[in-house]
Amino acid sequence: MEMSVNAHPPLSRTLGRPLVVLAVALAVGFVIGHPWAALAVAALGVLAWQQLQLRRLVRRLASRQRVAVGAGGDAWSDLQQLLHRNQEEHRHRAQRLVEMLRAYRAAAAALPDAVVVLERNTQRVQWFNAAASDLLGLHYPEDTQAPLGERLRPLPIAHWLAGGRNAEPLLDVASPINPGMRLSLRLIPYSDELWLLVARDVTKLMHLEHIRRDFVANVSHELRTPLTVIHGYLEMLDPADQPDWAPILVEMQRQSQRMTQLVEDLLTLSRLESQDSINDEVVSLDSTLATLRREAEALGKGQQTVTAEDRAGVDLLGSPRELHSAFSNLVSNAVRYTPANGSISIIIDLDEDGGVMLSVRDTGYGIPESHLARLTERFYRVSTSRSRELGGTGLGLAIAKHVLQLHQARLEISSEVGQGSVFTCRFPAGRTLPRTASEDFDP
């Protein structure tokens, strides 16, 4: 219960006992004939009493003792009442904060996902919940204040933790205590000093994903043979020999070719998704650039202006077959979605980190910003009608994304409606090699 205190108490209440003492001293002084001496002694006594009250109050505050509520009606009693009320309010706030912290800690401890609080600079464990013991093998208290990278061996996450805010989520890694358990790791920098590592058990999801991949691969493989037979027989039929059936034969040939390409892309994507690594070779970027330019000119039939420029003068370490597939998909997309008299530029350059990037720029229709995040999803199309009219399977960007991931690279997309698009493949410095060819690229 709060106690009300007057903001401006009357003078008699404020002076209280000191005023009474001074009045008595003055009266006694008149009686004995020394009023000023008695008044001085009384004043010194009042000051000493005030000093005593102040020191007593300071000692109570310094020792964190509760201030007792004064019973008198002077200023010291009012001050004690105010301090007592403030102490009570502070105590209640502290109790509420403690209760909230306990509730938050209990909620974090009850989560099925592992939650680990890390110190930003040292990457040392500050706190973790019970699920971290089951999923990551952390134990209290021996793992508290220990470097997380050492505790999670053999997981190679020290370099990943060093990425900080730029660390991409690890979607499928083995648990350090059970290789059969698959985990998804995410690093969340939620303050300047602390990070949050969240690990989730995705074993069932990965199992379902493997079932889906196997299903797509098996179905695509089974469709390849009959489609090859159908397409082969259709190629034997010349529309010129059957004028009445010519439009039907042409459409059947076009659709069978499209289905064949779709099956091939599905098989390619399934193969890439099942790979964890690639066989590294030296990829000559100057010859790759020349090949991409020729493919763009042939696919566009001279309707667009195609330029190629090598500003890096380096080569790549990777798979020539897979990289050509990824780059070719980007180039074919640029040609397909750039109208006649447009321009397409293929540029190889070095980035500020010492890596290399290949960019495909076009002056096509452009892509709305709301679609950019989903472009690499399989079968995702910005405009279904335009995509069907221009051809394509809807898997090209998904294939390119998986190829780049196998090379520890990433695909960046920027676009503006009516201005064109830029697709950039960024490779780390570890995959950049000095050029071994005797001649540089000459467009």
Side-chain angles (χ1 to χ4, degrees), residues 91-408:
R91 185 172 63 86
H92 290 314
R93 284 197 299 267
Q95 288 178 349
R96 287 196 297 268
L97 288 175
V98 170
E99 292 173 357
M100 291 175 61
L101 288 175
R102 288 175 178 172
Y104 292 151
R105 175 167 291 191
L111 287 175
D113 300 337
V115 178
V116 184
V117 178
L118 302 173
E119 188 178 15
R120 175 184 176 182
N121 296 328
T122 63
Q123 299 176 5
R124 293 183 178 274
V125 177
Q126 301 297 314
W127 180 86
F128 54 88
N129 63 351
S133 300
D134 299 331
L135 300 182
L136 301 176
L138 298 179
H139 298 286
Y140 183 84
E142 54 266 28
D143 289 333
T144 306
Q145 298 300 325
L148 184 64
E150 296 181 2
R151 288 296 183 265
L152 296 187
R153 290 179 179 175
L155 292 183
I157 67 168
H159 179 72
W160 177 71
L161 290 173
R165 297 183 183 275
N166 299 321
E168 294 290 335
L170 298 178
L171 301 179
D172 183 15
V173 296
S175 169
I177 60 174
N178 182 6
M181 181 188 300
R182 312 303 296 182
L183 301 178
S184 171
L185 303 182
R186 184 179 182 88
L187 190 62
I188 305 174
Y190 69 96
S191 74
D192 295 336
E193 302 296 333
L194 299 175
W195 288 346
L196 199 67
L197 175 68
V198 180
R200 175 170 297 178
D201 184 0
V202 293
T203 306
K204 293 183 179 179
L205 291 177
M206 290 298 103
H207 179 66
L208 292 175
E209 180 66 13
H210 286 306
I211 293 176
R212 183 196 61 79
R213 291 177 185 175
D214 293 340
F215 172 78
V216 173
N218 292 334
V219 170
S220 301
H221 183 74
E222 293 298 327
L223 288 175
R224 172 189 276 177
T225 300
L227 281 175
T228 302
V229 174
I230 294 173
H231 185 68
Y233 279 120
L234 288 174
E235 288 292 331
M236 295 175 59
L237 299 176
D238 189 355
D241 297 336
Q242 301 287 339
D244 296 337
W245 292 81
I248 298 177
L249 291 175
V250 171
E251 182 63 19
M252 291 174 65
Q253 291 173 353
R254 189 175 73 86
Q255 293 297 335
S256 66
Q257 178 63 38
R258 182 171 178 272
M259 290 188 66
T260 302
Q261 185 61 48
L262 177 60
V263 169
E264 293 298 329
D265 285 351
L266 284 172
L267 289 173
T268 300
L269 189 58
S270 297
R271 177 176 53 80
L272 292 172
E273 290 177 335
S274 63
Q275 288 183 238
D276 294 328
S277 60
I278 54 174
N279 295 324
D280 289 331
E281 302 177 25
V282 177
V283 180
S284 176
L285 286 183
D286 57 346
S287 60
T288 299
L289 189 59
T291 302
L292 293 175
R293 186 191 62 183
R294 289 194 298 268
E295 291 179 356
E297 291 173 343
L299 185 60
K301 300 178 181 179
Q303 296 182 359
Q304 299 96 358
T305 301
V306 180
T307 60
E309 183 179 1
D310 184 2
R311 304 173 183 172
V314 297
D315 290 332
L316 270 181
L317 187 65
S319 170
R321 173 190 173 187
E322 309 297 358
L323 289 176
H324 177 265
S325 174
F327 299 156
S328 181
N329 278 316
L330 298 181
V331 171
S332 62
N333 276 348
V335 173
R336 190 177 295 114
Y337 291 97
T338 300
N341 300 322
S343 63
I344 299 171
S345 302
I346 310 172
I347 302 173
I348 298 177
D349 203 350
L350 294 174
D351 62 14
E352 59 277 6
D353 297 328
V356 64
M357 54 186 181
L358 183 144
S359 301
V360 180
R361 305 172 180 264
D362 63 64
T363 58
Y365 305 109
I367 305 168
E369 185 178 358
S370 58
H371 294 278
L372 294 180
R374 300 189 59 190
L375 284 181
T376 55
E377 296 179 10
R378 56 176 64 91
F379 299 114
Y380 183 81
R381 299 177 184 272
V382 177
S383 175
T384 304
S385 58
R386 178 179 295 174
S387 299
R388 289 179 177 175
E389 177 185 352
L390 298 175
T393 62
L395 297 174
L397 291 180
I399 292 174
K401 175 185 175 182
H402 280 81
V403 170
L404 294 178
Q405 287 178 345
L406 290 174
H407 289 79
Q408 295 82 47

